[in-house]
Amino acid sequence: MTVRFNDHLLLWGIAVLQPASAADVLRFIKMVFPDAGKLPAVKDVRPTIDRWVEGGQLSRVHGKSRLYSVTAKGNHLMSVPLRRARDKARLFLLKEAHVAKVTASGDAPKRLAGDSPAETGSSDTQGARPISTAASPRDARLSVRAYWPRVVKQRQVGSEWRSPDTFFDLLSFPSVETLYSASDRPAAAGDLSITDLGLAIGISPRLLTSFIHKPHNHYREFTIGKRGGGERTISSPRLFLKTVQYWLLDYFLWQLPQHPSSHAYRHGASIVTNAEVHVGKKYVANVDVKDFFPSIRFEAVAQVLHSHGFGPKLAVAVARLTSLRDGLPQGAPTSPALSNAYLFNVDELMSQYCAAKGMDYTRYADDISFSGQDRNAIVQAIDELRKRLRERGLELNDKKTRIASSSGQQKVTGVVVNEKAQPPRKYRRRIRAMLHQAQVAPSAFTDPSGLTDRLAELRGHVSYLNAFPSLKNSPELERYRAVLRSFSK
């Protein structure tokens, strides 16, 4: 199919790349449509862009670099098929921008994401550095503000892609004020509507509405086995919704509180740090919250967001975009941050209660642990927790409640804690057997027919063992590392 350059294609290119310059867009169109023929020069398209700015279809969001983003009027100027094509291309590029996100060094002030940063519209974020992306809900998140680079950086099509990037507070717009001026129905001051969110992300508000009203179309579901038996249903958002949820996480949910007693999904915490709190105690108890994520309701999420500075429309919109069947989906990247914020008060109250009784309390997602010297005190603490959880619509799974004494094996989130935090012997024997097999039959781990996943699995096990301070520099782990190094020669 031959594509010819016209005003519609120019507007589509700006909408896909925004914030973008005329030069960025022309290079991008040439890359995507190499058969489009000779394209006009930048000076030839500037009158059209200036006319759109004057008519309110575009907003000039960075004066020095002449960067433009599409307004609500500009969205309406595009036909429905053109908007759909824009959304598809834009979200694929944003997926890559998420991987390349940066965060300001040091502690960032916690604020509503609509508030402008000190360097709004500047050419770069001071002290920005690359950070790794969270690949699954079990990964930790940083409690500082992250920014996504302009998508032209991912395609290297911009006229100045080697220059410092421009990090806007709302991705497409440098401030909430400029976003309001681009919206035909802005929310009240300090709040954002679905229209505002669509403009900030650079996609159609109608697509966000589809995520809200037909969420089942945007998830894929499957089951995995539970550690203690049975199956767990995973609801994983599809690419477009997942990208939007990652954006909500990095631009809004980063500011939600995480209690120090909660060790899941928190940077610098892990199942090892969760277990170390309970080492050497006479009694260790483990309890489990039943149907953890699905039991945290949409209304409760909206209330938590509103209580932490989100405007009423923004709180409802974010809660809707991160919920499935009136609960948090197990598998969405936003569920961990929301669940930690929802249980912050429970963690605070239980930490204070246990400290007053000479006990320790930690939580790792739906796994909650107590430890101390008095068994009766631990039983009472579990009853107190049950009451606090019921106040928030959650229940304990009494079938999984266990209290172990120091005379037997005590485990917390799968880690033995009798004398020091370490993996169970059975697990270590299994890893030793895998390493032995890798030495005597290396082809089973490098066979091109598909068994290379076994090598990745082995590396994962060794990385897990390395998280234990008692094993980090041990001869046992060094032998494992030597085996893995032999595969890279």
Side-chain angles (χ1 to χ4, degrees):
M1 180 180 68
T2 301
V3 176
R4 295 300 178 190
F5 183 85
N6 55 34
D7 288 354
H8 295 292
L9 189 59
L10 176 64
L11 184 61
W12 174 84
I14 295 173
V16 170
L17 296 182
Q18 65 177 359
S21 68
D24 294 335
V25 174
L26 291 174
R27 289 172 184 244
F28 177 67
I29 292 174
K30 185 63 177 177
M31 174 185 290
V32 177
F33 304 107
D35 298 330
K38 185 178 180 180
L39 299 181
V42 171
K43 64 181 179 63
D44 296 327
V45 300
R46 275 184 180 153
T48 301
I49 292 177
D50 291 341
R51 186 180 76 248
W52 284 336
V53 172
E54 186 177 350
Q57 286 87 17
L58 290 183
S59 176
R60 185 168 173 172
V61 295
H62 194 281
K64 182 178 179 181
S65 299
R66 293 197 179 195
L67 300 180
Y68 303 91
S69 290
V70 176
T71 66
K73 285 186 177 180
N75 267 327
H76 296 317
L77 192 61
M78 290 185 286
S79 64
V80 172
L82 200 60
R83 285 202 298 268
R84 288 174 178 167
R86 183 275 309 268
D87 291 344
K88 184 176 181 179
R90 173 79 173 169
L91 285 167
F92 273 118
L93 291 176
L94 285 180
K95 174 180 175 289
E96 297 181 8
H98 160 64
V99 175
K101 68 184 178 181
V102 298
T103 183
S105 300
D107 294 330
K110 292 194 174 184
R111 60 180 185 270
L112 180 65
D115 296 342
S116 303
E119 295 292 332
T120 293
S122 63
S123 61
D124 69 295
T125 296
Q126 298 297 321
R129 62 180 177 84
I131 60 176
S132 60
T133 177
S136 75
R138 286 281 171 181
D139 289 335
R141 69 176 177 91
L142 296 177
S143 56
V144 296
R145 178 66 187 274
Y147 295 85
W148 293 13
R150 293 193 297 136
V151 296
V152 295
K153 297 284 183 174
Q154 310 310 304
R155 298 290 86 190
Q156 297 184 358
V157 298
S159 57
E160 48 184 349
W161 65 270
R162 291 184 179 86
S163 65
D165 208 343
T166 301
F167 295 93
F168 284 171
D169 204 47
L170 286 161
L171 189 61
S172 297
F173 295 89
S175 68
V176 69
E177 290 77 20
T178 54
L179 175 62
Y180 284 162
S181 68
S183 176
D184 57 355
R185 290 175 294 176
D191 200 3
L192 297 176
S193 65
I194 283 290
T195 297
D196 298 325
L197 285 178
L199 290 174
I201 301 171
I203 60 176
S204 304
R206 184 174 299 221
L207 179 58
L208 293 180
T209 303
S210 173
F211 292 153
I212 290 173
H213 294 298
K214 297 181 179 179
H216 53 279
N217 291 340
H218 302 283
Y219 284 88
R220 62 183 185 90
E221 294 190 328
F222 54 93
T223 59
I224 60 173
K226 292 184 179 181
R227 184 177 58 197
E231 292 184 333
R232 187 190 307 274
T233 299
I234 302 298
S235 302
S236 178
R238 297 184 186 277
L239 175 63
F240 290 174
L241 177 56
K242 181 178 288 188
T243 301
V244 169
Q245 289 178 344
Y246 272 128
W247 185 82
L248 293 173
L249 182 65
D250 288 337
Y251 279 77
F252 292 91
L253 303 184
W254 66 272
Q255 62 189 299
L256 294 178
Q258 304 177 92
H259 197 271
S261 65
S262 173
H263 291 254
Y265 328 122
R266 185 163 61 86
H267 187 64
S270 66
I271 63 172
V272 178
T273 62
N274 181 66
E276 286 176 333
V277 175
H278 305 284
V279 169
K281 304 298 174 58
K282 187 173 182 180
Y283 293 99
V284 173
N286 296 296
V287 298
D288 180 85
V289 182
K290 185 186 300 182
D291 298 327
F292 181 56
F293 284 122
S295 297
I296 301 177
R297 301 302 181 191
F298 150 76
E299 294 85 356
V301 171
Q303 290 174 5
V304 167
L305 294 174
H306 188 48
S307 69
H308 287 98
F310 289 66
K313 287 187 177 180
L314 178 60
V316 170
V318 173
R320 288 292 188 197
L321 288 167
T322 56
S323 297
L324 177 66
R325 301 189 193 92
D326 195 31
L328 293 181
Q330 173 93 33
T334 46
S335 294
L338 292 169
S339 65
N340 274 347
Y342 182 64
L343 286 184
F344 182 90
N345 289 337
V346 172
D347 293 334
E348 177 70 10
L349 291 171
M350 292 307 304
S351 294
Q352 294 175 354
Y353 176 92
C354 289
K357 303 286 187 179
M359 296 181 293
D360 287 294
Y361 164 92
T362 63
R363 182 176 62 83
Y364 192 90
D366 55 350
D367 294 323
I368 300 175
S369 300
F370 300 90
S371 62
Q373 305 304 113
D374 188 334
R375 192 181 192 281
N376 289 332
I378 290 178
V379 172
Q380 293 172 5
I382 294 174
D383 290 337
E384 179 70 15
L385 173 66
R386 181 181 288 104
K387 181 177 71 173
R388 298 295 182 185
L389 290 176
R390 281 178 175 168
E391 292 172 353
R392 287 158 178 80
L394 299 175
E395 292 286 342
L396 289 180
N397 187 346
D398 290 326
K399 294 180 179 180
K400 292 188 176 182
T401 299
R402 298 287 185 273
I403 302 178
S405 70
S406 55
S407 59
Q409 188 182 72
Q410 298 170 318
K411 292 199 294 186
V412 172
T413 50
V415 177
V416 178
V417 295
N418 289 69
E419 298 178 357
K420 58 184 177 182
Q422 58 184 346
R425 290 192 184 93
K426 184 178 180 180
Y427 172 82
R428 293 169 71 177
R429 284 197 297 267
R430 182 160 64 91
I431 304 309
R432 280 197 294 270
M434 285 186 69
L435 265 297
H436 176 72
Q437 185 182 9
Q439 287 178 297
V440 300
S443 61
F445 288 78
T446 58
D447 183 37
S449 63
L451 292 177
T452 50
D453 284 345
R454 296 199 64 194
L455 184 58
E457 179 187 357
L458 193 56
R459 288 197 178 100
H461 287 304
V462 173
S463 177
Y464 169 69
L465 294 175
N466 191 59
F468 291 86
S470 60
L471 296 176
K472 189 179 292 287
N473 298 313
S474 66
E476 174 188 1
L477 200 54
E478 183 52 41
R479 289 196 301 271
Y480 297 166
R481 295 192 190 102
V483 173
L484 290 178
R485 284 196 296 268
S486 68
F487 282 94
S488 60
K489 293 180 180 178

